[in-house]
Amino acid sequence: MTIVGTFPSQLFLAAPRRAIDESQRQLAEAQVEATTGRHADMGIALGARTGSAVGLRLDLAATAQAKETAEQAGVRASAAQAALSSLNGLAEQFRATLSGARSAENGRILAANAARSALGALRDQLSASYDGQYIFSGLAGDRAPLADYGEGPRTAVIAAFSARFGFAPDDPAAAALDAAQLTDFAETEFAALFEDSSWRQTWSSAVDTSPQVRVGGGQPLGLSTTANAPFARSLAQAFSLIETLGSGKIGAAAFQAAAQTALARLGQAQSSISAEQARIGIAQNSLSSAAAALDDRKAKLETAIGALEGVDPYEAATRVNTLMAQLQSSYALTGRISRMSLLDYI
Amino acid sequence: MATLSSALNYALAGLSVSAAQSALTARNVSSAGDENYTRKTAEIRTLPGGAPAVAGIGRSTDRQLLDKLLQSTSDSAGKEVVLDALGRMAALSADPADDQSVAAAIGKLQQALRTHEANPANLALAQGAVTAADALARKLNDASAALQALRSEADAGLAGSAERINTLLAQFKVANDAIVRGQGTAGELAESLDRRDAILKHLSEEIGIRTTVRANNDMVIHAEGGAVLFEGSARSVGVASQGTLAPGEDGGALLIDGVAVTGSNAPMPASSGRAAAYATLRDRLAPQMSRQFDMIAAGLIRAFSERDQGAPPTLPDAEGLFLGTGTIPSTTAPQAGLAGRIRLNPLAEATAGGTPMRLRDGGFGGPSFIYNRAGLSGFQTRIAALGDALDQAQGFGEAAGIGGTVSVKALSTQSSAWVEGQRQAARSALDVAAANQTRASDSLLQVTGVNIDQEMAKLLDLEKSYQASSKVLAIVDAMLSTLMEAVRS
């Protein structure tokens, strides 16, 4: 800096004036930083790293959304599990009723009534819904999975019986049928009603694929099953066999044979239910570990955002104090210099 | 031979010199606060015969320091304009925490799609995703419009700058002519020189200038890059008329005497000062960010476009949730202004006769584009694919400073990074330029400025010599009286 001859009066106060200007600007920033714990001007502080901050915040928001999805999927899976447990109970109960009733007097009527209400319960349980969608309908969640037994399936069963024997179950001629004939019917024509194509035609409106959950766009998890799964068919088979034949006119021995078949189907249904429950349970397990991973990820993202955007509030508070002291000395200096003049002495 | 009368003459000359110097000191003190005023000193010469007289008026100044100040003024004035504009551009992407950026809008759309994916039959969730898409399209429209407005303002700024340059050059001619012709007294000449320098300082705010001084103190002004602004007479400065300022097209260049000094093809480019900054802003920075938004818009339209679902597919891909120009845009060189035209497909809006469920089912492009052929209410595939598409890499051009093979979401964060990076750089450049300007201004002021104390001290001096000269007069008068007494008696 060249100092030539004079020092202009204009510059006397320039230094403290600029210092005040700068200190006040910094003080405003430091105050914001001390109170918010973030940079006062994020863009200037981060520059090109702003992109990372924006990206991290997007990830953070996505994590919150994924957590929500995971929670809702969990509720849905629990609803499916609860329905399956009820169905298992239903099978258990019907097995007890049937075992007691098959040898008792009037047992057939009792069993047939129990089967009728079990068919209703089966339909009710499979109609469990979540958020307006039938859980067991697969992707076709807007349709009830199982038809009302009285409206089609029963007619189909009776038609199959008539086709085999030439008369309906409630025809007196039915009393003449023996156990072997009935067992054969139950395992061929009757069983065929529950094969894929007729099952879909008469009983079920569900589709095989069930909705999947991707937590945060990750690996898809199947958290439910459909009314087309073996357990539903086996239960329907057991219940409808007893309902149709029990209310008919077949002989005691033949009914025993039918009950035998029904009991076997109940066993199959129960093991299918536990298989499904186990499968859903595994998926639920994956879901909760995914949710835990999300919590972990959220914490890490928050740390990363804090590291990028944050300032140490204590440091900022200290800065506020320093700046205030600086400002005060600038004010004092300005006051003193402005009072200093040769004019006071001449 | 020295006589009493010559003593009287010396004393009178001393009085007049003291008076002239006092007048200058008073002038100095009165202008002590004017930064364009240069301290004046009387040049005292001894006349033949020995009496002192004021021969001229000296101006203390320094050409080099002034040049330095002019340069740093242009530099910092231009950078100030750029930083201010970048601040407004950065506001379009905002603080990461504010959720107001285009990137945040894309993030919200993706989350809405993921939520919808978990329950595809839910109309409210579909509506939520469509609303998020609408908000995103509008955000891009607003950003595009804001940048276009910024360009128009810069265009107006450039025109204003040209006008100001013309006005200043006209004023300059008056001052320069007075100097060259040597009109008026020495005092008036010095004032003209001050005024001429002051005009240069104002001029340098608008455009970078270089000055040379020729015979008779005649000054020639060149703009940075070499175009002559003033040589004997002012050259006219203007902006080439361009009609409307269309997106993607450069505005009219700044012309000096008909020669372009801004724009990529300028033979004599000017790079500092407000005029150059406005041109940079209008033709480079704002369009660059516009292009970035156009790329994001193109990426979105492409990510949401639909494929013919027939087997084998026969139709070309069609626009889906987002509409642009009717065709699937190129992501490497999107049409300029696409971000201003992107809009939500009305087929997704219930109020416009469409349905948000098209997000799940597809079919924006017609029946051939229906993805949910079986009409399943829980059809997830399409929604999942749309959510994923925002994360899928596309090939973007790199001309706009961002791009490469990245996802639309990543591209939008790159845009935030770009503008804040530019702003950070502009801020530190301005800090440096402003510090340089302050230093140059202080240095010059130390040469030209007035110290009131010093002037007062000088005044005390002058008072003394005035008193002494007066005393001499009185004494000579007394001596002459004594002589007259002696002669009379």
Side-chain angles (χ1 to χ4, degrees), chain A residues 21-107:
Chain A
D21 219 45
E22 182 62 21
S23 301
Q24 282 178 338
R25 201 173 57 77
Q26 286 182 4
L27 186 61
E29 275 180 17
Q31 275 173 324
V32 172
E33 291 179 357
T35 45
T36 62
R38 300 173 76 238
H39 291 294
D41 188 332
M42 202 51 77
I44 291 292
L46 296 183
R49 285 182 303 154
T50 308
S52 314
V54 174
L56 287 173
R57 284 199 176 267
L58 287 185
D59 287 351
L60 187 64
T63 314
Q65 188 277 330
K67 191 84 204 300
E68 216 170 277
T69 304
E71 274 161 16
Q72 289 195 3
V75 175
R76 191 190 156 104
S78 303
Q81 288 283 34
L84 287 173
S85 295
S86 306
L87 287 176
N88 195 29
L90 185 67
E92 198 56 56
Q93 203 185 348
F94 187 69
R95 172 196 294 280
T97 311
L98 189 58
S99 303
R102 63 176 166 168
S103 45
E105 193 72 17
N106 281 339

Side-chain angles (χ1 to χ4, degrees), chain A residues 153-213:
Chain A
R154 189 170 202 274
T155 322
V157 171
I158 290 173
F161 187 91
S162 306
R164 167 76 191 255
F165 300 112
F167 46 81
D170 53 357
D171 193 293
L177 294 173
D178 65 10
Q181 277 176 306
L182 214 67
T183 308
D184 187 55
F185 164 69
E187 277 166 11
T188 51
E189 285 88 349
F190 179 71
L193 291 177
F194 300 88
E195 292 303 325
D196 255 355
S197 60
S198 9
W199 172 258
R200 282 177 216 282
Q201 215 172 348
T202 41
W203 289 86
S204 164
S205 303
V207 294
D208 286 350
T209 328
S210 48
Q212 292 185 315
V213 174

Side-chain angles (χ1 to χ4, degrees), chain A residues 1-12 14-15 18 22 25 29 38-66 68-69 72-73 76 130-133 137-143 207 209-218 220 305 309 340-343 345-346, chain B residues 31-36 39 62 65 83 93-99 101 103-108 110-122 125 374-380 383-385 387-388 409 412-414 416-418 420-424 427 431 438-439 441-443 445-457 460:
Chain A
M1 197 177 275
T2 43
I3 301 205
V4 187
T6 62
F7 187 79
S9 305
Q10 268 191 68
L11 286 183
F12 274 179
R18 283 182 203 133
E22 182 62 21
R25 201 173 57 77
E29 275 180 17
R38 300 173 76 238
H39 291 294
D41 188 332
M42 202 51 77
I44 291 292
L46 296 183
R49 285 182 303 154
T50 308
S52 314
V54 174
L56 287 173
R57 284 199 176 267
L58 287 185
D59 287 351
L60 187 64
T63 314
Q65 188 277 330
E68 216 170 277
T69 304
Q72 289 195 3
R76 191 190 156 104
Y130 178 74
D131 199 8
Q133 295 285 298
S137 288
L139 291 185
D142 51 346
R143 308 198 287 255
V207 294
T209 328
S210 48
Q212 292 185 315
V213 174
R214 295 189 308 158
V215 176
I305 290 172
E309 295 185 357
M340 226 171 61
S341 171
L342 182 62
L343 295 172
Y345 302 93
I346 53 178
Chain B
S31 295
D34 178 0
E35 60 176 343
N36 291 318
R39 185 162 44 85
D62 186 318
L65 288 177
L83 179 64
S93 58
D95 188 316
D98 285 351
D99 258 14
S101 59
I106 292 179
K108 280 180 192 160
Q110 192 178 35
Q111 286 160 39
L113 286 169
R114 296 257 191 257
T115 308
H116 183 29
E117 175 193 335
N119 193 348
N122 192 321
L125 296 183
L376 297 171
S377 70
F379 188 69
Q380 291 177 301
I383 309 170
D388 291 348
K409 206 161 90 175
S412 64
T413 65
Q414 277 188 10
S416 299
W418 177 84
E420 295 293 12
Q422 295 280 325
R423 191 159 82 94
Q424 192 186 41
R427 170 68 178 274
D431 284 349
T438 307
R439 205 174 309 131
S441 163
D442 284 2
S443 301
L445 208 55
Q446 280 177 12
V447 177
T448 63
V450 175
N451 182 318
I452 296 177
D453 291 348
Q454 208 173 40
E455 298 295 325
M456 293 318 290
L460 291 180

Side-chain angles (χ1 to χ4, degrees), chain B residues 229-252:
Chain B
L229 272 173
F230 185 92
E231 188 175 8
S233 63
R235 302 294 192 264
S236 85
V237 177
V239 180
S241 98
Q242 201 72 24
T244 53
L245 194 61
E249 280 171 31
D250 285 1

Side-chain angles (χ1 to χ4, degrees), chain B residues 39 41 92 166 221 224 269 275 301 315 329 395 430 454:
Chain B
R39 185 162 44 85
T41 45
L92 296 175
N166 283 328
I221 309 176
E224 221 179 10
I301 293 173
L315 299 168
L430 176 62
Q454 208 173 40

